Amino acid sequence: MTAHLLRVLERGDGPSRRPPPPGHRRRTALDERTCRMICPIASAMVGVCLTGIGLLHVTLALRARQTMADDLLSIDALLFLIATLSSYFALRVQGTTRLHRLERIADATFILAMLLLTAACFIITYALNG
């Protein structure tokens, strides 16, 4: 009985340990799923941005025009890279505090990069049609 009580106290399972907040396991699992979704999508979007830059340079060289869309796509590729790396490292860390912090960084940079990509698409559309 005493050995069992000592093991419980060493593990921290005793009555002094606070119970985890409701939904704790579910929130950690949801965050991991979000990171698992952002990582491959954001890395694919880096390739989309680089392809867009290449196609834009070829098209604009033929028309002898300049636009800032390739600069936006370059910044966008960096933002998608940040989202990819932060979601990757969020999957690799052990602590939930770091997981949540890195997951928020991945979310924010992914959404910002998607908005920037949309703006670049509008600029490209009007630069090529104008």
Side-chain angles (χ1 to χ4, degrees), residues 75-114:
I75 295 168
D76 205 25
L78 290 175
L79 288 174
F80 279 122
L81 181 63
I82 292 169
T84 301
L85 292 175
S86 59
S87 64
Y88 172 77
F89 287 122
L91 292 171
R92 303 289 291 176
V93 298
Q94 298 297 322
T96 57
T97 304
R98 285 191 205 145
L99 169 73
H100 295 304
R101 186 179 309 132
L102 288 169
E103 194 260 343
R104 282 193 297 269
I105 292 170
D107 276 343
T109 54
F110 184 77
I111 290 171
L112 181 63
M114 289 300 289

Side-chain angles (χ1 to χ4, degrees), residues 11-100:
R11 283 192 316 221
D13 293 342
S16 63
R17 183 175 176 203
R18 289 185 187 165
H24 173 71
R25 288 186 188 267
R26 198 180 96 206
R27 182 172 180 199
T28 302
L30 286 175
D31 291 341
E32 186 175 322
R33 281 195 322 218
T34 301
C35 289
R36 288 188 188 275
M37 286 175 46
I38 288 176
C39 194
I41 293 170
S43 61
M45 295 307 290
V46 171
V48 168
C49 291
L50 294 176
T51 303
I53 291 169
L55 291 174
L56 188 62
H57 274 268
V58 169
T59 304
L60 293 178
L62 294 174
R63 292 187 177 193
R65 288 186 139 171
Q66 293 294 325
T67 182
M68 63 183 259
D70 56 339
D71 297 331
L72 288 177
L73 287 174
S74 298
I75 295 168
D76 205 25
L78 290 175
L79 288 174
F80 279 122
L81 181 63
I82 292 169
T84 301
L85 292 175
S86 59
S87 64
Y88 172 77
F89 287 122
L91 292 171
R92 303 289 291 176
V93 298
Q94 298 297 322
T96 57
T97 304
R98 285 191 205 145
L99 169 73
H100 295 304

Side-chain angles (χ1 to χ4, degrees), residues 111-129:
I111 290 171
L112 181 63
M114 289 300 289
L115 291 172
L116 190 60
L117 182 61
T118 304
C121 288
F122 277 112
I123 292 172
I124 291 169
T125 301
Y126 291 113
L128 295 179
N129 289 333

